[in-house]
Amino acid sequence: MRLFIMPGKSCRGIGLFMGDNKKKKAHIAVGANEVAITEAMTECTERNYNSVVMLFKGAGFLNVTAVPLNDLNMFNQKKNGQVEEVTINGNNEFEEGDIFPKNSNVLITYHSK
């Protein structure tokens, strides 16, 4: 908790601020031909594949491919369109802040009928 008093003001200028203890995220400098992974990109499973494709393309990736698994039957159709896995250059282990070239191969596999 911090007490904040504005200089040159009467008591009406006194305020009490409760700061949150969240860590501030550092801004990552990337080159013109690079893309930094965001938090949203690390949490793609079970999201609709179209929104994930747009997320990666919007971030600047040039080679984004969505591949249907054709693995659903009449009992599990609720998963239709849900992302199973995202890989970048064959690697599915990436985290926020990782940097990849824009021309990396992004493969999005998703459940489908």
Side-chain angles (χ1 to χ4, degrees):
M1 191 170 19
R2 293 183 290 171
L3 180 63
F4 178 71
I5 301 174
M6 295 187 63
K9 301 287 181 182
S10 65
C11 288
R12 286 186 229 159
I14 297 175
L16 190 60
F17 292 92
M18 303 282 285
D20 59 7
N21 292 329
K22 292 181 180 180
K23 292 182 180 179
K24 302 292 182 196
K25 295 182 182 178
H27 292 283
I28 300 167
V30 295
N33 293 315
E34 296 176 323
V35 177
I37 299 299
T38 64
E39 181 180 1
M41 292 176 175
T42 64
E43 300 169 355
C44 292
T45 55
E46 298 184 6
R47 291 176 54 189
N48 182 277
Y49 79 95
N50 283 316
S51 64
V52 175
V53 167
M54 295 305 292
L55 177 66
F56 279 84
K57 284 185 176 183
F61 283 104
L62 303 174
N63 301 317
V64 180
T65 306
V67 177
L69 293 172
N70 299 317
D71 61 341
L72 300 181
N73 57 39
M74 64 195 297
F75 299 107
N76 57 2
Q77 290 183 17
K78 286 185 178 183
K79 288 186 171 188
N80 193 28
Q82 286 185 355
V83 171
E84 170 67 18
E85 182 178 53
V86 176
T87 61
I88 302 174
N89 290 335
N91 182 6
N92 67 353
E93 294 182 14
F94 50 88
E95 56 189 40
E96 182 180 6
D98 288 351
I99 298 173
F100 291 92
K102 283 186 174 185
N103 65 351
S104 297
N105 292 315
V106 178
L107 182 66
I108 300 165
T109 54
Y110 64 94
H111 300 286
S112 64
K113 297 182 206 177

